Every structure is written in C-alpha cells, then in structure tokens.
Amino acid sequence: MKKRFICDCKKRKGESYERISDGNGTAYQRTGRDFKCKWFGWRAESGGKLESYFRKIPYFREHPKQVFLQELKGDALHRKNVFAYIKGGKSNGRTLLFHGHIDTVGVDDFGVLEPYAFSPDKLLEEMKKLDLPETVRADLETGDWMVGRGACDMKSGVAVFAVLMNYFSEHADVLKGNLLFSANPVEENLHTGIVHGLEVLEQLQEEQGFSYELAINNDYICPLYEGDTKRYIYAGAVGKLLPCFYIQGKETHVGQCFEGFDASYLAAELVRKISLNTEFCDCYEGESTLPPSVLKMKDLKTAYNVQTAYDALVYFNLFVHNRSVEEIVKALKKAAAEAFSETEKYRKEQNRRYCACSGDLYQDVDYEPKIMTYEELLAHAKADGELQHILETEVEKGTDQREIGIALIRHLLNKIGFKQPVVVLYFAPPYCPHNTLKKEDEKEWALKEHLVKLAERVGEKTGETYEVKQFFPSLSDSSYLKIDDDEASIECLMKNFPAYDTLYPIPLKKIKRLNIPAVNFGVYGKDAHKWTERLYMPYSFEVLPELIIEAVDEFFK
C-alpha cells in the first residue's frame, strides 16, 4: 500500500502548497496531489459535516449503507454518533476501530477572544496582538501551530482519522481487515456518545462478523514536563471513581458547641486525610496515578441558623490503574474511621481546655466511630418501595446526580432510627473503567510489544522519539471499550452506587463482552482546555498519519 503524507503546514524547498479555508479553519494541500487534510467540524453540526464528508468519497458512494448516524437516546440537543466502515477485500473479519470525540469544553475562558474561539486564522491574528506568555508567542511565530478551542482536544484527531478513511477507501481491495470509524459527542462530561455507540459495535459484530482486534484513539498528547520532546503512545486508559461521603453529625446550638458533633469539621478532616494523599496513588508497571483531589465539600444546610451543621457531603476524584474496588473501599473506610476518631479526639481536647480556662466542670459524651458503605446501610435497613419514589422525585427536581444518594441515605438512616454520628460511603457518576494492555495477559502483552516495535520503526523514519506508556493520563472514551476489573470488583462498585441503573447505566456486561483493547496515538498539542490551546501541525498532520498507516499494516499482518 503506497503511503502518502496527509498535509504539512509549512512550505518546503521545491514543494508548492495550496492554502484552503472555508471559514471553519485552514488546511494545506501539496499542489498536484489528491490527498489533503481538511480541518472541519468545529461547531455543533460536526456530526452532519462528517457524514457529508464521507458521502462524497467514491467508496462510500458505492456503499452508502456503510455511513450512518446514531442519535443519542433522550439527548435534548439531538447529538449524534457518526459511523463509517470499510470492508477490506482480504478481510476475515478482523477489524480496527478508529474512534474519537467531536465535542469540546466551553469557551468562556477566551474572554474578549471568545468570538474567534472557533476560527483559527482570525484567532491567531487577534492573539498576536496580545501580551502573550513567551512560550506561547514563540510557538505562534513559527507558523507551525493552529489555535482554537478543540484544536488539539480533539477535532484535529478526528479529522486525521476521517482523511485516513478516505485514503484507505482507495485501497480497500488490498486491506487485510476492516476499518470502522466512530466519532462521538459528550466525551467531555458523561461519555454518553461512546456508551450509546456500544450498541452499534455489537450490531456490526453480529451482522458483519467484525472481530475487534484493537481500537485506536487520537486524543491529544502533550509534553509531560518543561522541555519534553517525546511523543507518547498510550496502551490503555486511566480509570476514575467518584467516592462520596455523606456525614451525619449531632446538631447543637453554637452556645453549647461541645455537646454536638459537627459534620462540617469531619468533612474537613476527610479532605485533609484523603485529598492529595499519595498513599492512594495506584501503581502498575512503574506508572502511578495522581493522588485523589477533593471536588466538593459542603454542609447541607438550606438556610442560615446558629445550629452547627447536622450533615455534610464531601467527594473526591480518584484515579485507578489496577486496584480493585474492594481494596479502594477498604482504604476509604479506613481513612474515614481515622478522620472520625481524630475529629472526636480534637473535640474532646478542646472541651477540656475550654473547661480549664472557664472554670466549668468538664463533662463530655462519647461518639464512637461509625463508618458504613451504602451496601451495608441498605442491608441493615432493608430497602422498601419508598426508595424508588424518592429517586424519581429527586430526578424530577433536577437534583445533581452526585447528591441524589443523599436523599436515599437519609431515608434509610431514618428508617432504622439511627440518629448518632455516622459516615456513609457511596459512589456517584461519572465512573470511568480502567484498562490497559496487561502483562498478565499473553495476547495483550504481545500487542504492546507490537506497539513498541512500531514506535521504534516510525521513530527511525521520522526522527521522532517515542515512548509507549501504559495509561493515557486524562479521562478518555477508551475507558468504555474494555474493563480490567473482575466481576467481584464490578459487583462491589454497583452495590455501593445508589440508583446505578438510573443515574449512570453503563452497560458493563456489554463492555466485558466486546473487550476491545484500546490504545491512544494522538495529535500533538499544548494547553488543552485553556484559551492558549494549540496544535503542532507538522507532527499531527504529517507524522501521525504515517504512524497510523504503519499501525494498520502492522496489526493486519
């Protein structure tokens, strides 16, 4: 199969270029060549633009049913997944999946530049008028960088896949496998695009005989530290849990502050024990997750009064590489028990000191640490029909998904008449499964070895230095193609995830059945989710396509 570069953004000696712009961005095409990388799909209608792009390709004109849209069920914005597939002439069912997301985060951070956030050429002009950080200005002055929201995260990655589908369609007769393109919205929050798309993957598996060998994502890669020039290939996706702690205290008037148990103080102690605590880092094959970060901490008062906080909520972002949910629950319960004990110890010590300086007689009550999981509370209280009614009421009210569990827990505690201080641990959306090419699985580890050889070979040809790492460090749709957790771990999660089937019904069994190894190549950029977001075009539009073409050859051998 003849390999051709997709595009380049700089003129080189002896080569002429045509500059193309359609108002949505700029692309460059070597004059006289029929292969171009068109930047498209910046705005909300990107699904329709992609479909239109594919339908103009001769192969898909001949096979119109191999391009189709899937509207997301119940989506208020009527967003759609875009699918297109090429059936290789020498295929025996083996299939590679090209997938990526077509949504972006918002643009409020652009400030006065917001009107140009989706117009790379104009935005570049306006940015150059500003007092930019030195590193940003140095990049922009080279002419090698495209700016704009989604430039690296990850409209360009989808564009590269789309153009490669055009390229491979011209050689479908000699392809030794099938190629399936999947572009999905809603990655930046709840990943509902890829989750709905699993139905299509299963359908194609059954109807077309697709056997999924590997999924390749093109989400952005970036330097990991100042001066880092490596290009990274990731052999998996980090997982994410959202552990939540509902804290019930013992209310009291601030005039008798030592007689109660302040839920807010215990929430603060939980943050001190868990947030940024590297003991919660999860290491696998020499790679570690970042430690947990607190995402919300608040008491649950609805109005001002002089009563100490009766109850509170705190929840954390918790990344996972390989640890089971059972292990995580055990560690979180231990931290909660320690936080409870230290809160009680502090309250008593301060009461003694106050009595010593005030002359009051020291008297106190004992609050024994009580930590429960949602599963344990549910078993103790024996769920009733009221839970479903409460759930429906909270959903109808528009209660935040993270906090619907509070109403259920309150009901269960009231049902058993438990009025003492207690901490109840539960999980809430979103949940991102972790996966990687694991050393413990011979077939998967062989895939990783193929990746390493591929990276070495392409690096020698292009002058790039590659490193293959186990986990893409940012959250990714690739999480929903393969789950490394065993059944016991998944069961533990679901039993401690209130209203899982309603709030975040990820089809875990379907993902287990599909079991598609997922790697990430990625366009190269900087400052994703910042107004200085920018894409390095020479790598992204020239070297990356070469890497993917080589990968297709490698994995279809």
Side-chain angles (χ1 to χ4, degrees):
M1 190 180 296
K2 185 178 178 182
K3 299 178 175 63
R4 293 177 287 181
F5 292 131
I6 287 186
C7 69
D8 195 2
C9 60
K10 294 178 66 178
K11 292 184 178 181
R12 294 181 180 176
K13 186 176 180 180
E15 296 180 343
S16 60
Y17 288 75
E18 178 184 357
R19 191 167 183 267
I20 305 164
S21 181
D22 66 352
N24 288 320
T26 299
Y28 295 80
Q29 176 185 7
R30 285 187 177 92
T31 302
R33 302 188 72 167
D34 61 348
F35 211 48
K36 66 184 179 183
C37 181
K38 180 92 181 302
W39 182 258
F40 60 86
W42 279 101
R43 298 180 176 83
E45 67 272 18
S46 53
K49 288 190 174 185
L50 280 167
E51 180 192 24
S52 177
Y53 172 84
F54 283 123
R55 293 204 180 281
K56 293 175 183 176
I57 295 173
Y59 175 87
F60 292 111
R61 285 180 180 172
E62 294 176 15
H63 305 87
K65 292 183 179 180
Q66 291 175 210
V67 178
F68 56 94
L69 302 178
Q70 177 199 30
E71 185 167 334
L72 306 192
K73 297 174 184 175
D75 187 72
L77 298 177
H78 303 287
R79 287 169 288 193
K80 301 175 179 67
N81 289 323
V82 185
F83 293 95
Y85 64 89
I86 299 167
K87 301 197 76 171
K90 298 184 177 181
S91 170
N92 59 357
R94 300 172 65 198
T95 303
L96 293 182
L97 171 64
F98 292 162
H99 80 102
H101 70 89
I102 50 178
D103 61 321
T104 71
V105 293
V107 294
D108 291 346
D109 55 317
F110 279 81
V112 296
L113 297 177
E114 183 176 337
Y116 316 113
F118 297 115
S119 302
D121 294 343
K122 182 61 177 176
L123 178 61
L124 180 62
E125 292 176 16
E126 296 299 321
M127 286 180 69
K128 287 183 176 179
K129 298 175 184 177
L130 302 179
D131 183 18
L132 297 170
E134 184 177 339
T135 54
V136 176
R137 182 168 294 280
D139 284 345
L140 300 190
E141 292 295 341
T142 66
D144 288 343
W145 295 79
M146 175 189 289
V147 294
R149 176 59 80 232
C152 65
D153 187 15
M154 64 160 287
K155 300 281 184 144
S156 53
V158 174
V160 167
F161 276 152
V163 175
L164 281 171
M165 288 292 285
N166 187 5
Y167 167 69
F168 284 114
S169 74
E170 297 171 357
H171 307 278
D173 56 330
V174 296
L175 262 180
K176 296 179 181 179
N178 309 310
L179 296 176
L180 172 61
F181 171 95
S182 172
N184 315 107
V186 210
E187 187 267 359
E188 294 290 1
N189 42 51
L190 293 177
H191 305 274
T192 50
I194 188 70
V195 171
H196 281 76
L198 297 175
E199 295 178 10
V200 172
L201 299 188
E202 261 199 338
Q203 182 180 348
L204 292 173
Q205 189 179 56
E206 295 169 4
E207 295 178 359
Q208 301 296 330
F210 285 2
S211 174
Y212 299 110
E213 301 281 313
L214 186 71
I216 301 175
N217 197 347
N218 246 357
D219 217 335
Y220 76 98
I221 61 173
C222 62
L224 299 184
Y225 51 86
E226 189 68 33
D228 183 16
T229 59
K230 290 180 182 176
R231 310 297 188 225
Y232 295 97
I233 295 174
Y234 295 98
V238 66
K240 171 202 171 85
L241 292 169
L242 196 79
C244 308
F245 295 88
Y246 171 76
I247 304 160
Q248 177 177 283
K250 185 68 174 176
E251 76 283 1
T252 188
H253 192 288
V254 294
Q256 294 87 40
C257 55
F258 290 112
E259 295 178 11
F261 189 94
D262 188 354
S264 291
Y265 190 92
L266 179 48
E269 190 65 25
L270 272 168
V271 171
R272 191 186 69 81
K273 291 289 296 183
I274 296 175
S275 192
L276 305 183
N277 184 349
T278 54
E279 290 182 6
F280 285 92
C281 292
D282 184 8
C283 296
Y284 180 78
E285 286 297 308
E287 292 182 26
S288 174
T289 63
L290 287 165
S293 296
V294 60
L295 293 180
K296 177 163 279 193
M297 180 185 74
K298 67 175 185 176
D299 67 51
L300 299 175
K301 285 186 176 184
T302 57
Y304 170 80
N305 59 38
V306 290
Q307 183 186 65
T308 58
Y310 174 69
D311 54 2
L313 172 71
V314 57
Y315 57 74
F316 302 86
N317 183 89
L318 181 65
F319 289 127
V320 187
H321 276 175
N322 194 51
R323 191 176 296 170
S324 70
V325 177
E326 299 105 312
E327 292 176 289
I328 291 168
V329 166
K330 183 178 179 180
L332 291 171
K333 286 184 71 176
K334 179 175 180 288
E338 291 172 354
F340 196 122
S341 295
E342 288 164 17
T343 297
E344 179 66 350
K345 179 181 177 182
Y346 178 81
R347 185 190 63 79
K348 286 189 172 187
E349 177 63 24
Q350 296 306 313
N351 190 11
R352 288 191 190 94
R353 291 186 179 187
Y354 171 74
C355 291
C357 69
S358 67
D360 290 351
L361 176 65
Y362 173 74
Q363 293 179 317
D364 214 332
V365 292
D366 291 321
Y367 295 115
E368 291 297 323
K370 183 68 175 176
I371 314 297
M372 287 190 283
T373 62
Y374 182 75
E375 178 186 6
E376 291 166 340
L377 174 60
L378 200 60
H380 188 41
K382 297 181 181 178
D384 54 33
E386 278 296 304
L387 284 181
Q388 183 61 32
H389 174 69
I390 293 168
L391 171 61
E392 292 170 358
T393 300
E394 294 299 313
V395 170
E396 188 175 340
K397 282 166 39 180
T399 301
D400 184 277
Q401 287 188 333
R402 269 58 50 185
E403 300 183 22
I404 286 177
I406 293 172
L408 304 177
I409 291 168
R410 281 172 170 166
H411 172 76
L412 294 171
L413 289 172
N414 286 332
K415 185 180 177 184
I416 61 176
F418 196 89
K419 296 297 183 183
Q420 296 302 303
V422 63
V423 178
V424 181
L425 168 65
Y426 68 98
F427 293 103
Y431 157 58
C432 301
H434 63 88
N435 62 61
T436 192
L437 300 178
K438 302 194 75 171
K439 191 172 185 178
E440 295 81 358
D441 186 299
E442 184 178 339
K443 184 178 179 181
E444 289 181 7
W445 203 244
L447 281 175
K448 184 179 178 184
E449 290 175 347
H450 278 299
L451 280 179
V452 172
K453 292 176 183 176
L454 171 69
E456 290 173 352
R457 187 167 68 246
V458 175
E460 288 175 1
K461 292 174 62 175
T462 64
E464 302 287 352
T465 301
Y466 284 97
E467 181 177 339
V468 178
K469 299 179 76 68
Q470 290 291 150
F471 298 93
F472 184 62
S474 300
L475 301 175
S476 165
D477 274 348
S478 295
S479 280
Y480 301 92
L481 297 175
K482 177 176 177 283
I483 297 178
D484 284 349
D485 275 304
D486 60 23
E487 294 296 335
S489 184
I490 292 171
E491 184 178 1
C492 180
L493 171 70
M494 297 183 72
K495 285 183 176 179
N496 289 293
F497 199 123
Y500 177 88
D501 290 338
T502 299
L503 300 182
Y504 205 63
I506 302 301
L508 301 179
K509 292 182 179 179
K510 185 176 294 185
I511 297 172
K512 274 284 191 182
R513 286 197 302 270
L514 286 167
N515 195 42
I516 306 173
V519 302
N520 192 90
F521 288 172
V523 294
Y524 186 82
K526 297 178 182 178
D527 291 355
H529 292 205
K530 302 178 184 178
W531 68 272
T532 49
E533 177 178 357
R534 56 200 185 278
L535 174 84
Y536 186 57
M537 293 187 283
Y539 177 82
S540 302
F541 293 157
E542 183 171 334
V543 179
L544 173 62
E546 178 75 9
L547 173 66
I548 296 172
I549 290 170
E550 291 274 356
V552 171
D553 288 348
E554 176 74 24
F555 290 106
F556 278 160
K557 280 183 180 177

